[in-house]
Amino acid sequence: MPKTIGYHIVLSGHGLWLPGDDRGHWSEAWDAELGLIEPHTLHPGDPVRKRIAQERMVHPPVRLSTAMQNSVITRFASCAADSDWQIVAASIESTHTHLLLTYTERNIDNTVKWLKDQTTKAIHRETSHQGPVWCKGKWRSFVFELDVWNNTLRYIERHNERRGVSPRPYPFLAQSRDRRSRI
């Protein structure tokens, strides 16, 4: 089995990618009336599921304000400083966040839960927002190959450039552009 060199993680704002979304959805079965659907599989858009999900929402969808994004940036920096992994690339946008993390011995799913928890607490402390911040779950892929690593790095950097900022706008990012020094 190939060695994991890192992870691409995507966190979406609460309520912005619901079950039934036109882009597809990863939701597990949750409605007896609509039947079971296979978990961990991308399912096509379904307007009935989307409507039901919207009706069940208790809190409005969350788009990160500038103040909320700044809280996330600060907290990611302190989390990375206290960890055995580094954030090599990041794009913190109003609707979602991309992270490229180096390998860790820790359970990556628990690490992502910890990041979501820490950033949510920071937002609650530092802004007026007191509701949920992130959607349930996350999108996480393991990176095994250098080509995939470099393509993911460029993909995240392009997200930043499209927003009109530098490809590497955050001070907490691993500084070297040389892949070998970051993995």
Side-chain angles (χ1 to χ4, degrees):
M1 175 178 250
K3 183 179 184 297
T4 302
I5 59 176
Y7 317 90
H8 180 197
I9 298 160
V10 182
L11 307 176
S12 293
H14 172 77
L16 298 179
W17 198 320
L18 296 173
D21 191 282
D22 295 341
R23 297 169 287 184
H25 64 101
W26 296 89
S27 308
E28 297 179 11
W30 53 268
D31 192 296
E33 291 179 29
L34 296 177
L36 299 175
I37 58 172
E38 188 177 345
H40 312 294
T41 303
L42 182 63
H43 304 286
D46 179 343
V48 173
R49 274 191 204 281
K50 187 172 182 180
R51 179 186 51 76
I52 291 171
Q54 288 170 329
E55 289 171 357
R56 291 182 174 182
M57 285 189 59
V58 176
H59 300 279
V62 174
R63 292 182 181 270
L64 298 180
S65 67
T66 301
M68 294 164 77
Q69 288 173 335
N70 289 336
S71 294
V72 170
I73 291 165
T74 302
R75 196 62 193 130
F76 278 163
S78 59
C79 287
D82 293 339
S83 299
D84 65 340
W85 44 263
Q86 293 180 318
I87 301 173
V88 178
S91 181
I92 301 163
E93 304 180 35
S94 64
T95 59
H96 67 290
T97 294
H98 287 271
L99 297 172
L100 182 61
L101 268 62
T102 58
Y103 175 76
T104 179
E105 291 287 331
R106 297 178 183 273
N107 178 297
I108 190 60
D109 292 323
N110 289 341
T111 299
V112 174
K113 284 180 194 175
W114 178 64
L115 285 169
K116 288 171 65 174
D117 179 64
Q118 293 298 304
T119 54
T120 298
K121 287 178 182 177
I123 287 170
H124 289 171
R125 275 191 311 269
E126 299 163 12
T127 74
S128 61
H129 181 80
Q130 296 302 305
V133 173
W134 306 109
C135 71
K136 180 181 175 186
K138 79 287 178 198
W139 186 87
R140 179 255 310 124
S141 64
F142 290 81
V143 180
F144 301 108
E145 299 170 3
L146 180 57
D147 286 346
V148 174
W149 175 268
N150 288 328
N151 288 339
T152 304
L153 175 70
R154 286 189 294 273
Y155 174 78
I156 294 171
E157 289 177 344
R158 281 192 307 271
H159 265 359
N160 290 323
E161 290 171 329
R162 281 194 299 266
R163 289 183 308 140
V165 298
S166 75
R168 303 176 55 73
Y170 310 112
F172 60 80
L173 296 176
Q175 293 304 307
S176 173
R177 291 280 301 154
D178 177 14
R179 183 255 342 129
R180 286 176 292 270
S181 68
R182 293 184 278 172
I183 299 176

